[in-house]
Amino acid sequence: MQGEVVSQGSRLLSGLRVVECSMLGPGAVSTPLADLGADVIKIEPPSGDYIRSMSWPIVDGKSLLHLHISRGKRSIVLDLRTEIGRKVFLELVAGADVVVEAMRPGGLDRRGLGYARLCEINPQIVMFTISGYGMTGPYRDLPSHGIAYDAWAGTVGPVPGSDGLPSIPDHTSIGITAGPLFGTAAILAAVLNARQTGQGCHLEVAQSDAAAAFDWLRSEGHRAYARPQSEVTGNPTDGLERRPPGTAGMAEGVRYQFYASKDGHVLFMASERKFWRNFCSAVGRDDLFIAHPGAEFADHARGNVALRHELSAIFRERTTAEWVDLGLASDVPIGPVNTPADIGADPQFVDRMPWQPADRLIADQLPFPVRVVGEAPPVAPRPAPDRGEHTEEILRDVLGYDEARIARLRQAGAFGG
C-alpha cells in the first residue's frame, strides 16, 4: 500500500490485535477484522497451515482459498508443542484483544493454552472458538468439511449425477461464510464489553449452527406451520393457503418470477399493486392491470398461467439492460440475472465492488463490502503471507525481542526443527 492513501474504513480497527490459531477455512472469521485495520497475527505450526494446498484454483502455487482468507494477516511460526513456543504465544496473548481458535474444539486447551490459562495472562482477552459442529453435542468430534454444514442445515441436497448416482450440486457455501460473519459481530461486541468491564469471555460458534441460522425463514416457517391452522395461516392474498416456507412458495409466481429477455434473463418483482400498475403503464399494457389488478400487497398472481405466457412474450422484446433502464425510469422492480462468471461486467458491480488487484494480492479479490460513506471499500493491507513470513518482524516489533533472543529461540526449537 506504499504511496496509497489509507481510507478511514481501512483504519477502523487500528489498535485491535488478534492472535489467530487456524487451519483451513474457519480462519475467515478474522479476515474482515484485518480488512478493517486490525493486526491479525496468524500462528502456524512448523509444517504450516495446509490451506495453501486446498481447493482450487491455485494461483502462483497458492490456493485462492488461502489468498482470500489470509489476506492482510501476518504469519509467525511457533511450535506450541514446546514449552518455549507456548511461552512466546502467551506473551503475544498478553498484549492482544482476541485469540481465535479456528480448528476442532479444544485444540489450544490440549496444549495448556485454553481460556482459563489465557485469562491468567490477560483477564480482558476474548477467546473465540469456531468449529464445524461446535463444542457440545454428539457431532462435536466428527471430522468434516464445509459442505457438511450446509447439508446438515438442509440448505443443499443431492441431485442426480452420472449413472443416477447422487451428486453434489453447484451451490453457495453458507456455513463456512455465515459462521465467520456471525463470529466477527460477536467478537467486536465482546471486545467492547471487555474494554468497559475489564473482563473478557469465551465465545464459540459452530458453522453448522450458522448455516441453520442463516436459513431461518424456512426452518422457522416449518416450525410455525406445525401449529394449528387456526393460529398460523398463509397470506391473506392467497386465501390464507399455507404455501411452502421461504422462496419455495414462489415457484408458481407470475408477477414475481424469472423471465427470459432478448439476451438473457431478468427477475420481475411486481408483488405490490403500485409496481404492477407502473409496469403495465410503462409497456403500454394498461389492459393487463385492468384485467388483473390483484391485491395491494404480496400478490404474485400465482398460478395465472395465461398471464405468465403474456409476460414471457413481453419480456423477450427487450434486452436485460433495457429492462433495467425501464425499471429505473418507471419505478418498476426488475433486476438483472448474473452468474459468478459474468457478474464482474455488471455496471452496478463495477461501481460498488472494485477488484482488489492481483498485483497487490496475488489474485484478483472482492473487497470487504461495507464502506465508510463517500469512500471506496476498505482494502487489505498486504497479501496472504507465506508460512512464518513475519516471524522475526512480529517478535521484534510486537514483543521487543532483539536478534540474540530470536536466535536463542530458534536454537531452542520454538519455531520447529
Side-chain angles (χ1 to χ4, degrees), residues 26-213:
V29 68
S30 58
T31 305
L33 305 179
D35 284 344
L36 294 172
D39 181 18
V40 179
I41 298 174
K42 180 178 174 66
I43 309 292
E44 300 200 53
S47 59
D49 181 353
Y50 66 95
I51 187 176
R52 295 174 177 86
S53 301
M54 290 291 283
S55 191
W56 53 87
I58 302 294
V59 183
D60 289 344
K62 301 168 188 173
S63 72
L64 181 59
L65 187 69
H66 167 64
L67 295 176
H68 183 97
I69 287 176
S70 302
R71 73 187 190 195
K73 304 176 184 180
R74 297 194 286 176
S75 170
I76 177 174
V77 167
L78 287 177
D79 191 343
L80 299 183
R81 298 169 300 181
T82 67
E83 183 177 351
I84 190 66
R86 292 191 292 270
K87 181 179 179 181
V88 174
F89 178 84
L90 290 173
E91 288 192 49
L92 288 171
V93 171
D97 298 282
V98 181
V99 169
V100 169
E101 179 185 46
M103 56 183 74
R104 289 199 203 181
L108 287 178
D109 200 31
R110 288 190 290 273
R111 292 167 174 80
L113 300 171
Y115 178 63
R117 180 70 178 110
L118 302 187
C119 283
E120 294 174 3
I121 302 299
N122 182 352
Q124 290 190 205
I125 198 68
V126 172
M127 183 171 178
F128 181 81
T129 297
I130 178 170
S131 59
Y133 294 106
M135 296 179 67
T136 60
Y139 299 167
R140 177 187 186 276
D141 296 318
L142 183 65
S144 56
H145 283 301
I147 297 176
Y149 318 129
D150 302 329
W152 176 87
T155 64
V156 65
V159 298
S162 59
D163 297 324
L165 298 174
S167 178
I168 297 172
D170 188 21
H171 69 285
T172 299
S173 296
I174 295 176
I176 62 172
T177 304
L181 288 178
F182 284 131
T184 297
I187 285 171
L188 295 178
V191 169
L192 285 175
N193 184 69
R195 290 181 174 180
Q196 292 169 354
T197 66
Q199 182 62 51
C201 65
H202 188 183
L203 303 165
E204 70 122 341
V205 69
Q207 292 167 94
S208 53
D209 293 351

Side-chain angles (χ1 to χ4, degrees), residues 354-416:
W355 290 100
Q356 296 194 59
D359 60 5
R360 290 188 61 252
L361 299 182
I362 304 175
D364 291 335
Q365 297 180 36
L366 298 180
F368 183 73
V370 181
R371 65 181 71 191
V372 174
V373 174
E375 291 187 0
V379 297
R382 58 178 64 84
D386 291 332
R387 175 181 59 88
E389 178 180 344
H390 305 99
T391 297
E392 295 191 13
E393 173 187 307
I394 291 168
L395 295 176
R396 286 194 307 266
D397 298 348
V398 177
L399 299 182
Y401 290 5
D402 59 23
E403 297 300 329
R405 188 170 184 180
I406 294 173
R408 289 195 297 272
L409 287 173
R410 182 175 291 106
Q411 187 174 12
F415 313 137

